[in-house]
Amino acid sequence: MLNNSETNQTSSTLLAHFEELRRRLTNILISFLISLPLVYISSKWWITTFVYHIKRTQVVLHTFSFTEMIQIYILIISFVTLCLVLPIIFYQLWAFISPGLHRRERLFIYKYSLLCTALFIIGVGFAYTIGFPLIIKFSLTLSKTMYIQPVIGFNAYLHELIRWLFIFGVVFQLPVVCMGLVKMDVIDIKQLHQYRKYIYFTCFIIASILAPPDITLNLFLTLPLIILFEISILLTKITTRH
């Protein structure tokens, strides 16, 4: 059993971690609140172009109330602000982990933060140009098969789009996750090679969960996940050598 001094030390360590986490989250919130009015003020110059590009030519969008337009506007402003502060978010997350790393490993915080941001942007780009259009196409084909005329609200469409953008942005963090697990000695390269076929099957399962039940679409979405996994192995080998 733990004596009083060990218990107090454990409690102090947990409190210190929670205090550090609170400080990091506060920094993220402050950066978001500072960026929000700047994005709002500048929105009159870019929001028309933004809305034009996120709409799809084959989809007719509707709004069902005047207040819904306000909700859509707030959602767009919040989403753009969040994307703007992404580098700060990733930096604060890595900085929270850094006290548990060696001094040399802490130098990777900036590189990992930029890498996370770049991978997130690539994931968002993939979802916007390939993933989400395929889902829309499948849904419209399904509606024709069932002789149903869809009436799609802009608010629901925007929520669905942003949800998929974030899903793919998070999924594309796989290389960083693998590098982190290897660096912390949770897994090693040999294990990744050994269980490659099982990981491929897991990628297919993840694609099946993310995408509608269409085998062609599932296979098409499985491919980038497998490529991400192979990139993860390659980057992990390079970082391990250095």
Side-chain angles (χ1 to χ4, degrees):
M1 296 180 62
L2 295 175
N3 54 39
N4 290 334
S5 61
E6 290 176 336
T7 302
N8 292 335
Q9 185 178 1
T10 303
S11 300
S12 300
T13 303
L14 288 175
L15 288 175
H17 283 306
F18 280 119
E19 178 62 26
E20 178 68 13
L21 179 61
R22 185 191 66 80
R23 189 169 70 87
R24 296 299 174 184
L25 293 177
T26 301
N27 291 340
I28 292 174
L29 180 61
I30 291 174
S31 63
F32 182 85
L33 293 178
I34 292 175
S35 302
L36 187 63
L38 298 177
V39 174
Y40 170 75
I41 293 172
S42 64
S43 63
K44 63 180 180 179
W45 290 295
W46 55 262
I47 196 164
T48 302
T49 305
F50 181 88
V51 172
Y52 173 80
H53 283 291
I54 65 174
K55 292 192 299 182
R56 302 291 171 178
T57 55
Q58 69 270 35
V59 179
V60 179
L61 301 174
H62 306 270
T63 55
F64 304 105
S65 67
F66 293 108
T67 56
E68 190 173 353
M69 294 301 303
I70 300 175
Q71 296 173 13
I72 293 170
Y73 185 75
I74 293 174
L75 183 60
I76 292 175
I77 297 297
S78 301
F79 173 71
V80 173
T81 304
L82 187 61
C83 291
L84 189 65
V85 300
L86 267 179
I88 298 175
I89 294 175
F90 285 123
Y91 172 79
Q92 295 297 330
L93 291 177
W94 280 108
F96 174 70
I97 300 173
S98 65
L101 301 177
H102 298 292
R103 183 176 181 181
R104 183 181 178 184
E105 292 173 329
R106 294 179 191 177
L107 299 177
F108 286 92
I109 292 177
Y110 295 104
K111 294 180 180 179
Y112 277 27
S113 300
L114 293 175
L115 180 59
C116 287
T117 304
L119 289 173
F120 191 92
I121 292 173
I122 294 172
V124 167
F126 177 84
Y128 177 76
T129 58
I130 299 176
F132 194 62
L134 285 174
I135 294 170
I136 292 177
K137 185 178 179 180
F138 176 82
S139 301
L140 293 178
T141 302
L142 197 61
S143 66
K144 291 180 181 179
T145 302
M146 297 187 294
Y147 297 98
I148 297 175
Q149 180 63 39
V151 179
I152 303 172
F154 194 7
N155 195 10
Y157 172 87
L158 191 59
H159 274 89
E160 193 70 14
L161 172 61
I162 291 176
R163 183 172 73 89
W164 282 103
L165 294 182
F166 272 107
I167 286 175
F168 278 93
V170 172
V171 168
F172 271 62
Q173 301 301 310
L174 181 60
V176 179
V177 173
C178 288
M179 286 190 294
L181 292 176
V182 171
K183 185 173 286 292
M184 291 184 288
D185 294 325
V186 177
I187 57 176
D188 56 41
I189 299 294
K190 293 181 179 179
Q191 287 179 318
L192 293 177
H193 283 292
Q194 184 179 358
Y195 297 106
R196 177 182 265 118
K197 60 182 179 180
Y198 301 107
I199 295 174
Y200 282 4
F201 180 73
T202 303
C203 290
F204 178 76
I205 297 298
I206 294 174
S208 301
I209 295 173
L210 294 177
D214 178 69
I215 186 64
T216 304
L217 183 57
N218 290 344
L219 291 174
F220 193 78
L221 294 179
T222 301
L223 182 60
L225 294 178
I226 293 176
I227 293 174
L228 270 177
F229 171 70
E230 294 298 333
I231 292 175
S232 302
I233 293 179
L234 178 62
L235 291 177
T236 303
K237 285 181 179 179
I238 295 173
T239 55
T240 303
R241 290 172 184 172
H242 292 285

